[in-house]
Structures are given as C-alpha cells and as structure tokens.
Amino acid sequence: MAEKRYESDLTGKEKRHLEWEKIKGMTWKQRIGHIWTYYKIHMAVLIGVLLVIGVIGQIIYNSRFETVFQAAILNGGTGDAESMTEDFKEYLGDGDKYHEIVLDSSMYFVGDESADMTSVMKLTTLIGAQELDAIVCEQSQYDKYVDLDAFVPMDELLTEEQMQEYGDDVLEYAIRVDGSEKLKEFGLDVNQPAYLAVFVNAEHQDNAKEFIRYLKEDENE
C-alpha cells in the first residue's frame, strides 16, 4: 500500500503541478477569486516593486533635462505660449533636446483679490523657488516688484551699446515691450504699458538678454 503523501511533503514542482490542476478545473470567476485569495500579497509586492522602478525611471529621465530659461507672461491673453517657446528656442539656435525653455502665460491678475489668489500663489512660489528668470507684465505688477527690489537694474544687465539700441524703452529696472511684434504674433500682447524685467536671482541672465533682443527685434520694422 502506497504511503499517503500530504501537500507539505510535495516538491516545489509537484506543488506547482497540483496548483495548476486545481486552477484548470475552475471557472474564470473562481480562478480570479482563487488567485486574489492566495496571491494578493505577492501581487501587492510586485505592484509595489513596479511602482518603485517606474518612479526611479521617471526621476532618472527627468534629470536629463535642464531648464535654460523661464519667464512668466502675466495677463497674456489666450495666446500660444507653446509655439512662442519653440520659436525662441530656435532663435537661440539651441538644438539640445534636453534643454527646456518655459514661457508661462497661465497667470492672470484682474484686480480682484479672491480672483487673483491662485495666480498670486503660483507666482510667489515660482519667485520664492528662484525658478523665474524674467517677467513680462503691466504697470501694476511691475511697480509692486520694483518696490520689493526684485529686479536687476538694466544698466547692470545690458551693455552700453544695448542701452543705446533700445533707447527710451529702457527703464531703470525694465524695458518696455508693448510694441513687440513677437508678442502680437503669438497673441500674448500684454496691456500697455508692458515691461520685461529680469529677477536679481535669475540663473540664466544671458538667455534673459537674448529674450529681450528676441522681443525687440522686429519692433521697428
């Protein structure tokens, strides 16, 4: 008489074969229930591992990108900031696919404290994190940040030749850009008078100067 064998006595291969035979005899609904009952911990661990791998992969992928210029265009209407971003990158001759330029036209200020709150919080966060290099804005926003000593003086940013080139459009802390054909071309013309100012902590002042040149290039043509 053959000795009775318990499941605990089976080899790993025999256990897998027995498990497969059980599953083959079940309906699809029973199979799903069986797999969830006996393998949910394994599945949770697998999902957790895949999530960790995905997050690490995303971090590694994102680390390859570098923001080389970022500006906010306040009250820029419903223009096409994305196309303007691509055009400015082409203007710079920057063909590096890992170099990112950000022109953010999503913030609006209408003079109502509650309506402006989301834009205030976003702009304050970007400035506090030292992520913004420059800003294009109308008089009220310009005056506010001038009072906070937020901008670099134009005579420190621009050369004497550039100061002469831009003439009367140069202010102490900004340059007027409401005549910019580029802003009009992409539907981002801010209410007059409009100013472009560069933050004192801007990391990409060279590209900020190029952005000024970009906006002013076709103004008098």
Side-chain angles (χ1 to χ4, degrees), residues 50-65:
L50 291 175
L51 285 173
V52 170
I53 292 173
V55 169
I56 292 174
Q58 190 65 39
I59 291 173
I60 293 173
Y61 178 75
N62 288 339
S63 68
R64 302 169 71 182
F65 290 90

Side-chain angles (χ1 to χ4, degrees), residues 35-152:
I35 291 171
W36 175 249
T37 299
Y38 290 97
Y39 298 102
K40 58 186 174 184
I41 294 178
H42 301 78
M43 292 169 66
V45 170
L46 177 61
I47 291 172
V49 169
L50 291 175
L51 285 173
V52 170
I53 292 173
V55 169
I56 292 174
Q58 190 65 39
I59 291 173
I60 293 173
Y61 178 75
N62 288 339
S63 68
R64 302 169 71 182
F65 290 90
E66 177 189 2
T67 299
V68 296
F69 180 70
Q70 183 165 345
I73 302 175
L74 307 185
N75 291 2
T78 57
D80 190 353
E82 184 176 346
S83 293
M84 189 178 192
T85 299
E86 295 173 359
D87 190 60
F88 179 50
K89 195 169 191 291
E90 184 177 345
Y91 174 85
L92 289 176
D94 188 342
D96 191 328
K97 66 179 180 179
Y98 296 115
H99 281 179
E100 289 191 324
I101 292 172
V102 180
L103 301 180
D104 188 342
S105 63
S106 65
M107 289 170 276
Y108 293 86
F109 296 86
V110 296
D112 181 276
E113 186 174 340
S114 58
D116 293 348
M117 184 54 62
T118 300
S119 293
V120 169
M121 291 177 64
K122 182 175 182 180
L123 183 59
T124 302
T125 300
L126 290 172
I127 294 173
Q130 298 185 12
E131 292 186 12
L132 281 181
D133 295 301
I135 190 171
V136 176
C137 60
E138 52 195 61
Q139 187 78 52
S140 60
Q141 292 298 318
Y142 171 70
D143 290 341
K144 174 182 177 180
Y145 287 102
V146 165
D147 290 341
L148 294 174
D149 296 322
F151 302 134
V152 61

Side-chain angles (χ1 to χ4, degrees), residues 196-216:
L196 186 154
V198 178
F199 289 99
V200 292
N201 55 9
E203 293 185 9
H204 310 105
Q205 289 193 6
D206 286 343
N207 280 341
K209 288 190 287 186
E210 289 300 319
F211 191 56
I212 292 174
R213 183 177 292 278
Y214 169 77
L215 291 184
K216 302 290 287 183

Side-chain angles (χ1 to χ4, degrees), residues 149-207:
D149 296 322
F151 302 134
V152 61
M154 284 291 109
D155 60 3
E156 293 182 13
L157 181 72
L158 303 176
T159 65
E160 288 186 16
E161 182 180 357
Q162 289 170 326
M163 296 277 286
Q164 292 175 2
E165 179 183 352
Y166 302 135
D168 293 338
D169 283 343
V170 179
L171 284 70
E172 185 176 3
Y173 294 102
I175 184 165
R176 283 193 64 162
V177 292
D178 43 85
S180 172
E181 293 299 323
K182 285 294 185 183
L183 288 173
K184 295 174 183 177
E185 177 184 346
F186 294 101
L188 293 166
D189 41 331
V190 180
N191 291 335
Q192 297 187 21
Y195 305 105
L196 186 154
V198 178
F199 289 99
V200 292
N201 55 9
E203 293 185 9
H204 310 105
Q205 289 193 6
D206 286 343
N207 280 341

